[in-house]
Amino acid sequence: MKLLVGLGNPGARYARTRHNIGFMALDRIAEAHGFSPWRKKHQGEVAEGRLGDVRALLLKPQTFMNLSGQSVGEAARFLKIEPAEITVFHDEIDLAPGKCRVKHGGGHAGHNGLRSIHQHLGPDYARVRLGVGHPGRKEEVANYVLHDFAKAEEGWLDDVLRGCADGAPALAAGDDAGFMNAVALRAAPQRPKPPKAEAPKAEPAPEPKPETPENPFARLLDRFRK
């Protein structure tokens, strides 16, 4: 059993904000892999299903971001699973939009949702860091992540979410590289190679011109020979 957690804030007001990209990723995974309908449990919303050969529970905490650990901790205790079997999807301002990285353990880097999970589980869980970009100034971060994605960002956002759904079975199986490759193929698809240019055809060599006699007497003699 794997527990996949998406971080975000509940309610329509926050549904399309950058802070909610974790919720969006889980919604796309549930839809793509035929998970059960969402239901309320563990202070959140859960859906059950399979990712390849692995049973998985998807969890979207409804405690608001700063208290995400309450919901995740309750689910982990109920399922009797270790932090190593838990993967958390979250927004990452230190990655460019469209980039995705998997990380195991380490600090929370000031992310309030991860900070709360650390308090309830410790640091030994996996994270899927979904890049949303940085506003440029530290004091603008809180406002930036609580704003909706711009229309111009919808293209790369949809690609990344589809990539998360494509790669979810690999992630559940422990193949981090396979998961990140699936996201990269959606976010930056390989361009088809241009057709090879045909080599130019060689032009036929010109026919040699008859030699011109060197002096008038030779030309006259040449006329009598013809």
Side-chain angles (χ1 to χ4, degrees), residues 112-185:
N112 288 333
L114 299 183
R115 189 198 307 272
S116 178
I117 295 173
H118 270 52
Q119 293 170 355
H120 289 263
L121 296 179
D124 299 326
Y125 57 93
R127 310 96 193 265
V128 174
R129 304 164 64 216
L130 300 171
V132 297
H134 197 288
R137 299 176 61 185
K138 184 177 180 180
E139 56 269 28
E140 295 176 0
V141 167
N143 187 52
Y144 174 76
V145 297
L146 290 175
H147 264 69
D148 288 1
F149 283 102
K151 288 196 181 220
E153 297 176 287
E154 290 178 357
W156 70 256
L157 174 61
D158 186 64
D159 288 340
V160 167
L161 297 178
R162 288 194 296 165
C164 287
D166 292 346
L171 184 69
D175 182 4
D176 295 346
F179 170 77
M180 287 189 289
N181 186 57
V183 177
L185 287 175

Side-chain angles (χ1 to χ4, degrees), residues 49-71:
R50 301 190 74 87
L51 296 171
D53 296 327
V54 180
R55 287 179 58 218
L57 182 75
L58 309 182
L59 170 65
K60 297 187 295 184
Q62 301 294 295
T63 52
F64 285 92
M65 184 68 78
N66 294 4
L67 300 176
S68 298
Q70 293 182 4
S71 174

Side-chain angles (χ1 to χ4, degrees), residues 31 89 135 159 164 187 220:
E31 180 183 356
F89 290 72
D159 288 340
C164 287
L220 182 62

Side-chain angles (χ1 to χ4, degrees), residues 7 25 28 33 37 45 78 84 99-100 111 139 168 177 181 185 222:
L7 296 187
R28 192 64 64 92
H33 296 279
E45 294 182 353
F78 179 83
K99 297 294 183 182
C100 171
H111 191 289
E139 56 269 28
N181 186 57
L185 287 175
D222 185 61

